[in-house]
Amino acid sequence: MRNFIKASALAIVLAPVAVATAQAQTVMRYVEGSPNRGAKAQALEEFGKDLAERTNGEISVEFHWGGALLKWGAIMDGVAVGTAEMGTLIGAYNPKELQALRIGDLPIGEAGDAWIGSRAMYDLMTTNPDMIDAMSKQNVAYFGAIHTTAAQFMCNDASIKSIEDMKGKKVRAAGIYSQALSDIGATSVSLTFGEVYQALDSGLLDCSQVYLYTIDPYKFWEVVEQVLVVDWGQVVGIASGINLDVYNDMTESQQTALKEAGVLLTDHQARYLIEEHEAAIDALENDKYGRPVQLVQASAADKDTLAQASEKYIQQWMDEFAAQGYDAEAAMTQYRGLLEKYTKERDEKGYPWTR
């Protein structure tokens, strides 16, 4: 009985400590539209562990994958109103609201390199006052960059070896790339990425934009004869974002931890994508898929053609961002400068994980 009384007294003394500990831990729900696999998922999970470590367990991240909590088009609004504290935001799904973020979808300089593009976007979105303000108006704060690698073309016709050969061909691309291809003379076909395999197999498509690391998991090697490497554009108008009210309620040390974990997320996701991209190049060059697929490097003339076709869409972004009351010229100048900075760093020192 005496031992029971002592134990009860101890429990009463310790109870406030336990409550304080429980209250100190915050669980952040992170919504992601894709399934829990691949480079992005791996980097996000590492981000969650890193954030917990940097905050000594004060913050933990609970992931909701594959649109289980919010579908792609609803993630921005869901994070803004607090349905989830964090999430992956895609500019293409909310083009007006996330106009600032869409600068990363433009084919500029070395933006297609996953590390260069990601680092340039991270710096731009976290230091440029107009970019920060544009995101804050949606009640979100940017803390990490997500990339896709550079886009190439895959074709079911081995005779298509240049951009000139695509004139009159049925080609699937996304966003401004579809519009620019139409300007060049291709016939643009609107399909989801999940429909591309069947469309190439049936002849509904002649070519499609592709990220090389998707060739194996989607088994595109079964239905294409060649891949044309053009390094034209990318999607880095994708961000890890947090509800602004939640961010403002964090302590200064927690905000610092989030920023540091966001840099890790940015670098790790880029690294894993680059490794997957290089593995795909190796598989194509050495016939490691179930059947040989030709790998064709685009000419300098082809790349010039694509760059020229892109110019009016780059200007269109600037006009639309300026129409929102921002200094588009300054943002573009800073972004180009950052791309040059990280290109130089990669060329002189290599990627951070290879040093």
Side-chain angles (χ1 to χ4, degrees):
M1 181 71 176
R2 185 175 300 169
N3 290 337
F4 173 77
I5 293 172
K6 286 182 179 179
S8 299
L10 181 61
I12 292 170
V13 171
L14 293 178
V17 177
V19 170
T21 302
Q23 289 176 340
Q25 185 180 52
T26 300
V27 178
M28 301 275 191
R29 292 162 296 179
Y30 189 109
V31 286
E32 160 64 39
S34 299
N36 182 18
R37 60 176 180 266
K40 179 169 55 174
Q42 182 179 352
L44 283 171
E45 288 188 326
E46 290 174 359
F47 154 77
K49 293 175 183 176
D50 187 62
L51 182 60
E53 290 175 3
R54 290 179 187 275
T55 60
N56 297 315
E58 292 174 359
I59 296 175
S60 64
V61 182
E62 177 184 279
F63 290 98
H64 296 263
W65 305 99
L69 182 59
L70 293 168
K71 302 300 182 185
W72 275 126
I75 290 178
M76 192 206 74
D77 287 338
V79 172
V81 302
T83 303
E85 289 75 28
M86 298 174 169
T88 302
L89 316 176
I90 298 183
Y93 283 106
N94 304 96
K96 291 184 178 179
E97 297 85 351
L98 297 177
Q99 178 69 23
L101 194 59
R102 293 175 63 209
I103 191 173
D105 294 345
L106 302 173
I108 300 171
E110 286 287 322
D113 180 289
W115 182 71
I116 293 170
S118 294
R119 268 310 188 99
M121 276 297 289
Y122 179 88
D123 286 9
L124 179 72
M125 299 300 296
T126 57
T127 64
N128 183 281
D130 282 350
M131 294 295 187
I132 294 170
D133 183 72
M135 296 295 284
S136 69
K137 285 182 177 177
Q138 308 309 318
N139 203 41
V140 295
Y142 180 107
F143 67 82
I146 293 174
H147 206 286
T148 59
T149 74
Q152 322 298 345
F153 287 106
M154 57 182 176
C155 303
N156 57 15
D157 182 348
S159 68
I160 302 174
K161 299 183 183 298
S162 69
I163 299 303
E164 181 70 22
D165 294 335
M166 288 189 186
K167 290 183 178 179
K169 300 295 185 180
K170 296 166 289 187
V171 184
R172 184 262 181 196
I176 67 166
Y177 302 103
S178 176
Q179 298 171 49
L181 283 169
S182 294
D183 294 343
I184 292 169
T187 300
S188 179
V189 180
S190 179
L191 293 171
T192 66
F193 200 66
E195 297 172 311
V196 169
Y197 179 101
Q198 186 61 40
L200 285 166
D201 190 36
S202 68
L204 178 61
L205 279 181
D206 296 305
C207 300
S208 175
Q209 233 179 354
V210 67
Y211 305 115
L212 296 190
Y213 64 88
T214 67
I215 289 176
D216 188 33
Y218 283 87
K219 297 187 181 299
F220 289 134
W221 52 265
E222 294 180 343
V223 294
V224 299
E225 296 294 327
Q226 70 175 32
V227 171
L228 180 62
V229 177
V230 293
D231 292 333
W232 182 44
Q234 69 294 312
V235 179
V236 68
I238 309 175
S240 284
I242 183 171
N243 176 283
L244 187 58
D245 297 322
V246 171
Y247 177 77
N248 288 336
D249 284 342
M250 295 168 71
T251 65
E252 185 176 342
S253 64
Q254 290 172 342
Q255 290 178 352
T256 298
L258 177 64
K259 292 174 183 176
E260 292 171 347
V263 172
L264 178 144
L265 165 63
T266 299
D267 281 353
H268 281 201
Q269 199 258 347
R271 175 183 179 174
Y272 301 146
L273 275 184
I274 288 170
E275 290 173 347
E276 290 182 3
H277 175 85
E278 291 173 346
I281 290 285
D282 178 64
L284 288 166
E285 289 178 337
N286 296 288
D287 294 341
K288 292 184 178 180
Y289 295 130
R291 54 188 289 272
V293 177
Q294 294 181 36
L295 187 66
V296 179
Q297 296 289 338
S299 66
D302 277 340
K303 292 188 177 185
D304 284 344
T305 296
L306 293 174
Q308 291 172 20
S310 305
E311 281 302 319
K312 78 174 186 179
Y313 298 103
I314 294 172
Q315 185 60 50
Q316 180 178 306
W317 177 88
M318 294 180 66
D319 292 343
E320 291 173 354
F321 194 54
Q324 293 183 354
Y326 296 119
D327 190 341
E329 190 72 40
M332 182 61 70
T333 298
Q334 183 180 355
Y335 182 48
R336 289 183 183 274
L338 288 166
L339 290 170
E340 292 174 2
K341 169 188 173 181
Y342 285 111
T343 297
K344 182 179 180 182
E345 183 175 333
R346 179 204 60 187
D347 292 346
E348 293 180 350
K349 300 180 181 179
Y351 295 116
W353 55 90
T354 64
R355 298 172 192 170

